[in-house]
Amino acid sequence: MERYRLFIDGDWCDPVSNEWFETTEPFSGLAWAEIPRGTQGDADRAIEAAHRAFLSPEWAGLTATQRGALLRRLAELIERNVDRLGAIEQRDNGKLMAEVSGQVRNVAQWFHYYAGLADKVQGSVVPINKADVFNYVKYEPLGVVVAITPWNSPLALTTWKMAPALAAGNTIVIKPSEYTSASILELAKLAQEAGFPRGVVNVVTGFGGEVGEPLVRHRLTAKVAFTGGDIGGQRVNEAAAPGLKKVTLELGGKSPNIVFDDADLDQAVKGAISGVFGASGQTCMAGSRLLVQKTIHDTFVETLVAAAGEARIGDPSKMDTQIGPIATRAQWEKILRMIEMAKAEGAVCALGGHALSGPEYGQGQFVAPTIFTGVRNDMRIAQEEVFGPVLCIIPFEDEEDALHIANDVEFGLAAGVWTRDLHRAMHCVDRLRAGTVWVNNYRSTSFTTPFGGYKRSGLGREGGVEAIKEYLQTKSVWITTKPNRANPFVLG
């Protein structure tokens, strides 16, 4: 069994605790690697190393173009190691190999994008309202960034933070989920090979209370970037607040996917299925509330249930598998509890609604694709994030009714609209309280555009030019071009 080590200050080292914990395959349930159990001592070492690196000429002395070259080198190494990284991540979190391989290739593209953006951050000259003064604005890095990442897409969601943070000139300490740390430690090996100076990239593994909180609270931490549930994000925000640290929080969702009666119904069915059953529903942007116009409700539901019922479920390492296991036992148990809660609330289970067991399901950490009808928007199953393959179908009368239902939730991460009417589509785009709105598609993402949420779905944005701004601070510079002979006691 492989035993990993922490990556701090350019060295691979044992945790202060001298303890490790096992990581298991969700499909087989077998332990396959040991992960270091970091504690506050490791957190302190990593933050201090990152702070030294931030101030060092080896990093601070690089031009933005030189930083970009390092990011490009890392991207090339990722491209050469796609299969290995994908296999490790798939083994650790149980995601479909068909999806993981594409995600890892996309990770390389994120690093290429921010490598190119590193030297495109431009300040401005201000036409100041004072004579004989030259004023300009420049952007500077923040310092040490702590990135706390989840178990559902470790490499992708770490990259969403790491690439813009480094492009902006910060240093970083990454704390991956205790369930899925292996692929991030492998990424650190590639960062070391790419030639990043000591301390610029650090990875400390372990549990939230033991190492995550000390990383957030450390006096030298300048910024925290977190992806996870809204409760976890709230705790991170509270821990960061006393130090007035900047935060980016990409949190949960209960996203509406709205189907009008003039939509291309075949495409809408496919969009509804991929929107909530892709990644076994373990994605923050899942379209877990399907709003269907009453005039087509029964026909649409019948078609959807039939299509979802044909999903190929099983071993995620097989390229033709469409739904794999739930990544963690705790999450599997939570999903089953919420399914029972929905039944108790009076929702009608039209498909699934139970765990799956048998030889084709490994050690049994599977939930059947589940569809509920007869759902009211005030039910807990329609208001709380399940993070699993569970879909709620809610009927609506007309456009205003759909928008009211869609916005009547504490989250605002994403939304989908299916219609052939361009005016209706644009009206919905304007009225939906969500950070991303897809029209006649769902779950599309790109490194070129921002992603993030309204309301309890988070703070800040990841992706695109917007993301690098999250890791910069603004400085205004005033230069006198002519001596001031005025009274020094009077403000000029």
Side-chain angles (χ1 to χ4, degrees):
M1 184 181 297
E2 181 163 3
R3 170 172 283 195
Y4 282 98
R5 306 174 80 196
L6 303 175
F7 186 63
I8 298 175
D9 202 16
D11 292 324
W12 295 96
C13 54
D14 293 342
V16 171
S17 67
N18 201 34
E19 294 180 12
W20 282 257
F21 57 93
E22 293 180 339
T23 187
T24 61
E25 297 177 352
F27 181 68
S28 70
L30 299 176
W32 70 275
E34 293 182 323
I35 303 300
R37 185 167 185 165
T39 57
Q40 180 161 348
D42 303 298
D44 291 346
R45 281 194 299 154
I47 296 291
E48 289 159 11
H51 183 67
R52 287 194 302 271
F54 177 71
L55 299 176
S56 72
E58 288 79 16
W59 180 246
L62 296 181
T63 65
T65 303
Q66 289 171 323
R67 290 199 304 271
L70 283 172
L71 287 167
R72 191 168 293 110
R73 198 174 306 157
L74 176 55
E76 292 166 353
L77 288 169
I78 292 169
E79 288 170 333
R80 293 206 291 268
N81 289 272
V82 164
D83 291 341
R84 185 174 65 85
L85 289 171
I88 290 168
E89 181 146 309
Q90 189 277 321
R91 190 177 192 185
D92 216 14
N93 80 341
K95 183 170 282 193
L96 300 181
M97 180 57 76
E99 186 167 2
V100 170
S101 58
Q103 273 196 342
V104 178
R105 288 185 178 87
N106 202 38
V107 160
Q109 292 304 308
W110 276 73
F111 280 106
H112 277 303
Y113 177 80
Y114 286 102
L117 192 58
D119 56 7
K120 309 301 186 299
V121 176
Q122 299 179 355
S124 60
V125 174
V126 180
I128 202 74
N129 64 331
K130 298 182 183 296
D132 305 318
V133 172
F134 175 62
N135 178 257
Y136 68 94
V137 172
K138 62 184 302 235
Y139 299 97
E140 297 181 343
L142 299 169
V144 178
V145 172
V146 168
I148 302 177
T149 58
W151 44 260
N152 59 323
S153 295
L155 281 169
L157 296 177
T158 295
T159 298
W160 288 21
K161 299 158 182 56
M162 180 179 175
L166 296 178
N170 301 281
T171 56
I172 193 165
V173 179
I174 304 165
K175 191 277 176 194
S177 167
E178 60 270 25
Y179 294 108
T180 54
S181 299
S183 59
I184 306 307
L185 290 163
E186 295 290 342
L187 180 63
K189 292 179 184 178
L190 298 184
Q192 184 181 34
E193 185 178 346
F196 282 88
R198 296 171 65 92
V200 171
V201 177
N202 308 268
V203 180
V204 182
T205 57
F207 298 89
E210 295 176 358
V211 72
E213 187 171 346
L215 287 171
V216 171
R217 292 188 181 277
H218 198 286
R219 64 183 183 84
L220 295 176
T221 297
K223 159 93 178 185
V224 182
F226 171 87
T227 297
D230 62 314
I231 300 301
Q234 181 176 318
R235 290 171 180 163
V236 166
N237 202 21
E238 290 168 353
L244 301 180
K245 306 175 194 301
K246 297 180 182 295
V247 295
T248 297
L249 305 173
E250 198 270 279
L251 308 178
K254 197 67 183 176
S255 300
N257 205 356
I258 307 169
V259 181
F260 289 98
D261 58 10
D262 67 337
D264 181 328
L265 299 186
D266 288 340
Q267 290 302 309
V269 166
K270 293 175 183 176
I273 288 173
S274 65
V276 72
F277 298 128
S280 300
Q282 298 169 109
T283 170
C284 55
M285 65 185 78
S288 54
R289 287 187 302 149
L290 183 66
L291 280 54
V292 182
Q293 197 157 18
K294 287 183 178 180
T295 49
I296 59 168
H297 178 273
D298 293 350
T299 301
F300 191 87
V301 170
E302 183 180 354
T303 304
L304 176 66
V305 168
E310 295 177 357
R312 293 186 295 275
I313 308 168
D315 187 346
S317 67
K318 295 180 178 179
M319 292 298 288
D320 63 344
T321 299
Q322 294 174 317
I323 295 181
I326 304 304
T328 75
R329 196 73 180 179
Q331 183 62 24
W332 178 78
E333 292 171 351
K334 175 193 172 185
I335 294 167
L336 294 176
R337 285 196 304 271
M338 295 199 74
I339 287 173
E340 293 307 311
M341 177 189 71
K343 293 175 181 177
E345 287 183 304
V348 177
C349 189
L351 181 71
H354 54 84
L356 295 171
S357 60
E360 67 271 38
Y361 303 121
Q363 58 89 42
Q365 208 161 281
F366 282 80
V367 175
T370 298
I371 296 176
F372 283 108
T373 59
V375 177
R376 300 188 317 273
N377 198 53
D378 61 352
M379 290 179 174
R380 288 181 63 189
I381 195 67
Q383 291 289 317
E384 299 178 16
E385 186 175 39
V386 178
F387 219 68
V390 179
L391 177 64
C392 301
I393 300 181
I394 304 173
F396 68 87
E397 292 282 355
D398 53 23
E399 191 172 309
E400 287 305 306
D401 189 31
L403 289 168
H404 172 74
I405 295 169
N407 290 329
D408 185 19
V409 70
E410 288 191 321
F411 297 102
L413 189 59
V417 178
W418 299 84
T419 179
R420 288 186 171 95
D421 186 329
L422 181 60
H423 180 269
R424 169 184 277 167
M426 298 309 294
H427 179 64
C428 289
V429 166
D430 290 342
R431 293 278 303 278
L432 285 164
R433 298 287 295 161
T436 294
V437 179
W438 293 287
V439 177
N440 295 329
N441 69 99
Y442 203 91
R443 282 187 72 206
S444 298
T445 61
S446 171
F447 45 84
T448 61
T449 192
F451 182 80
Y454 289 21
K455 299 185 280 187
R456 286 190 69 84
S457 287
L459 302 171
R461 292 295 180 267
E462 297 186 307
V465 177
E466 293 286 332
I468 202 167
K469 295 177 181 177
E470 299 278 347
Y471 297 94
L472 292 165
Q473 52 193 342
T474 305
K475 178 178 285 184
S476 179
V477 181
W478 296 68
I479 301 175
T480 297
T481 59
K482 182 179 180 181
N484 182 7
R485 307 299 184 187
N487 185 339
F489 294 94
V490 177
L491 184 65

